[in-house]
Amino acid sequence: QVQLVESGGGVVQVGGSLRLSCAASGSFVSINGMGWYRQTPGKERELVALITTGGNSNYADSVKGRFTISRENAKNTMYLQMNSLKPEDTAVYYCNAQIYYTYYEHYREVWGQGTLVTVSA
């Protein structure tokens, strides 16, 4: 079993910053793409940012210029630096990873348990 464990969520004031982490543990051979998603009650989960193994990234328009996604492949860890936070960034943030369990299978999508980010006005 592979687990993704998020950390770093919490309560922050408008304009503040938070850094989320997502660490993968368990038995696997490699990780392909990784990403951060977020969800608020009554809404569908939405993409925040994606990052490839090589470090290429894409962002939702709503977070461009404020959020930065990064990863440390040697540590199987991904980060999301969130600056200039707004009330509309309040959500549960989930990490996602494409995990190769063996060399012979296609990757599987794995999700973390989520971490709550609350931006207070």
Side-chain angles (χ1 to χ4, degrees):
Q1 286 285 358
V2 174
Q3 282 190 320
L4 298 180
V5 179
E6 299 114 332
S7 60
V11 180
V12 63
Q13 291 187 332
V14 170
S17 298
L18 280 176
R19 189 191 194 209
L20 305 183
S21 298
C22 171
S25 63
S27 179
F28 58 94
V29 297
S30 67
I31 303 175
N32 193 37
M34 302 182 79
W36 289 98
Y37 294 75
R38 65 187 182 187
Q39 189 171 24
T40 54
K43 292 188 177 181
E44 292 188 357
R45 193 171 296 186
E46 64 173 4
L47 173 68
V48 175
L50 295 172
I51 187 166
T52 67
T53 305
N56 293 318
S57 57
N58 284 294
Y59 297 90
D61 288 343
S62 59
V63 306
K64 280 181 182 176
R66 299 188 298 121
F67 291 11
T68 303
I69 189 171
S70 60
R71 63 190 285 180
E72 289 187 76
N73 293 331
K75 294 183 178 181
N76 297 317
T77 301
M78 173 180 64
Y79 307 96
L80 185 67
Q81 178 65 44
M82 305 185 293
N83 298 329
S84 302
L85 283 161
K86 304 175 181 180
E88 51 264 43
D89 294 319
T90 295
V92 177
Y93 284 71
Y94 297 90
C95 69
N96 170 274
Q98 299 167 337
I99 304 289
Y100 285 100
Y101 282 75
T102 71
Y103 290 108
Y104 311 109
E105 302 174 42
H106 193 54
Y107 63 74
R108 303 182 205 175
E109 300 273 355
V110 178
W111 290 90
Q113 81 286 353
T115 185
L116 178 62
V117 171
T118 302
V119 183
S120 62

